[in-house]
Amino acid sequence: APPLKEGARSGADLNRDRLRVFDAKVLKYNASAGESYLGVHRDGSLLTCIVALNDLASYQDGGTFVEPLGRSLRYDRGHVCAHPGVVRHGGQRVTFGVRYVLACFVDRFGTVEHDRALSNEADLLRLSGRYEEAKNWYSFSLAVDKGVGKSEGAWVGLGLVLLQEKKYAEAAAAYRRALLIAPQNTKAWANLGLALAQRGRTLKEGSSPGVAEAFLLDAVSAFERAAALADFETAPLNNLGLLLGELGRHGEATAAFEEGLRRELLDFTPSAERRVTVGDLYANFGVSLCEEGRYMESLAAFESALVQDPLNSNARANAAAVKGFVGAL
């Protein structure tokens, strides 16, 4: 079909005799088990086919989010959403019930996507702390991509390495390159916020407080953009709340933490990792409420943090401090 040919990789051979399903998997989106969505991404395939396996009546919301369309497609059992693998897409959050799909990945026989393979190797090196090697492999991936326009993942990975090395200006530049390719990349916006915030803090500690404020305000905008693009992300909201608190904007900080908690608790499952995340949000929420003079609410937030994560020492210390302060009034 012409639309598929236009969206497929440049120069790809779509002769059906050469096409193969090289991978297929059943995906389960469960509203009550902490796996209710899949973030926006690209596939390493020429063509992706997503087959609905159950009825629309089995779940609420959900569907295949297609970034260029700016919306999710909901389709009933037996229907298929087919798109070029390079198109950024994701699984929209299911808010009730369970959604099942069969994802099939099609490519030409013998095809190797070199830029993706190089970027994946760089990711492994980065995660093992071998940053110099990772930077080299990200550079190889970007060189192979040659401006085709699907290399935002390599730019984001390179930015993560630079962020670890505290090269905040270079990290921000890498994230901006990613956003030129994929303007709605949540991870790029969230990490751009981290790079800008750290650069602003560094300048604030030095001799350029005026310049620092501009970076901090840009970081606020980046975190807000990341949080708005993905209604399931909570890390940008946590970072936004912390930064707004540093800037003395405590009412806005409280609202950011509150929204983060709402999102986390929407499909909360009590895994150890999720409990720590929610505990941190409650603890930060409590500090922000305390800054607003809402002491009893802040105490309740600290106690909620300890219910989720009894090892949260900040929440424990702050709860004791608030109890002492309120008792002395």
Side-chain angles (χ1 to χ4, degrees):
L4 291 178
K5 288 184 179 180
E6 290 169 10
R9 292 198 295 267
S10 177
D13 178 6
L14 295 185
N15 184 331
R16 67 182 182 181
D17 294 330
R18 296 276 295 162
L19 299 180
R20 300 287 188 276
V21 175
F22 70 89
D23 194 13
K25 61 186 73 175
V26 173
L27 302 178
K28 177 182 178 181
Y29 298 92
N30 190 338
S32 61
E35 48 192 23
S36 60
Y37 65 88
L38 181 62
V40 179
H41 61 282
R42 298 184 198 271
D43 293 328
S45 60
L46 181 66
L47 178 67
T48 296
C49 301
I50 305 172
V51 186
L53 297 180
N54 59 334
D55 298 333
L56 285 171
S58 304
Y59 56 90
Q60 291 179 5
D61 297 314
T64 301
F65 176 76
V66 182
E67 189 174 88
L69 298 179
R71 64 186 181 93
S72 293
L73 304 176
R74 282 171 48 83
Y75 42 99
D76 218 336
R77 181 175 59 177
H79 289 73
V80 183
C81 174
H83 58 79
V86 297
V87 171
R88 284 174 52 81
H89 63 286
Q92 188 69 25
R93 183 195 288 270
V94 171
T95 57
F96 177 81
V98 181
R99 177 188 178 219
Y100 292 96
V101 300
L102 173 64
C104 299
F105 306 98
V106 180
D107 216 322
R108 288 189 310 144
F109 179 75
T111 294
V112 177
E113 198 175 7
H114 296 287
D115 56 332
R116 188 182 185 94
L118 291 166
S119 184
N120 288 342
E121 181 65 23
D123 287 340
L124 293 174
L125 290 166
R126 171 176 56 81
L127 292 170
S128 65
R130 296 159 64 181
Y131 298 132
E132 282 302 318
E133 292 174 82
K135 283 193 290 187
N136 288 335
W137 283 81
Y138 284 129
S139 297
F140 297 153
S141 175
L142 293 167
V144 171
D145 183 65
K146 295 180 179 178
V148 171
K150 57 186 180 68
S151 60
E152 75 275 7
W155 283 113
V156 170
L158 180 59
L160 289 170
V161 173
L162 294 166
L163 202 57
Q164 285 290 331
E165 296 180 331
K166 299 184 179 181
K167 297 177 179 177
Y168 303 126
E170 294 176 58
Y175 296 131
R176 291 191 190 281
R177 289 292 297 270
L179 290 166
L180 286 175
I181 299 166
Q184 298 185 68
N185 188 305
T186 306
K187 185 178 290 187
W189 279 111
N191 284 294
L192 175 61
L194 289 174
L196 292 170
Q198 288 300 102
R199 191 175 182 199
R201 290 172 181 131
T202 301
L203 290 168
K204 193 173 182 180
E205 292 170 0
S207 57
S208 305
V211 177
E213 185 176 1
F215 282 105
L216 295 174
L217 293 177
D218 284 347
V220 167
S221 297
F223 288 138
E224 288 175 337
R225 180 67 170 151
L229 282 170
D231 63 1
F232 46 80
E233 292 283 0
T234 60
L237 287 164
N238 191 41
N239 288 321
L240 173 62
L242 291 170
L243 183 54
L244 288 169
E246 288 179 39
L247 295 171
R249 294 159 60 175
H250 300 299
E252 295 171 78
T254 298
F257 293 129
E258 194 166 26
E259 172 61 14
L261 284 165
R262 185 193 69 79
R263 293 183 183 188
E264 278 290 345
L265 298 175
L266 189 63
D267 63 349
F268 181 67
T269 51
S271 67
E273 184 178 359
R274 292 290 294 277
R275 283 188 180 281
V276 170
T277 298
V278 173
D280 283 341
L281 275 168
Y282 268 123
N284 293 333
F285 183 43
V287 171
S288 193
L289 289 166
C290 199
E291 291 285 358
E292 291 190 88
R294 297 160 64 179
Y295 302 117
M296 297 310 297
E297 292 173 80
S298 74
L299 179 58
F302 293 136
E303 290 175 342
S304 294
L306 291 168
V307 168
Q308 296 298 331
D309 180 14
L311 299 179
N312 192 316
S313 57
N314 288 332
R316 190 171 300 280
N318 285 327
V322 171
K323 285 179 182 178
F325 179 77
V326 171
L329 290 178

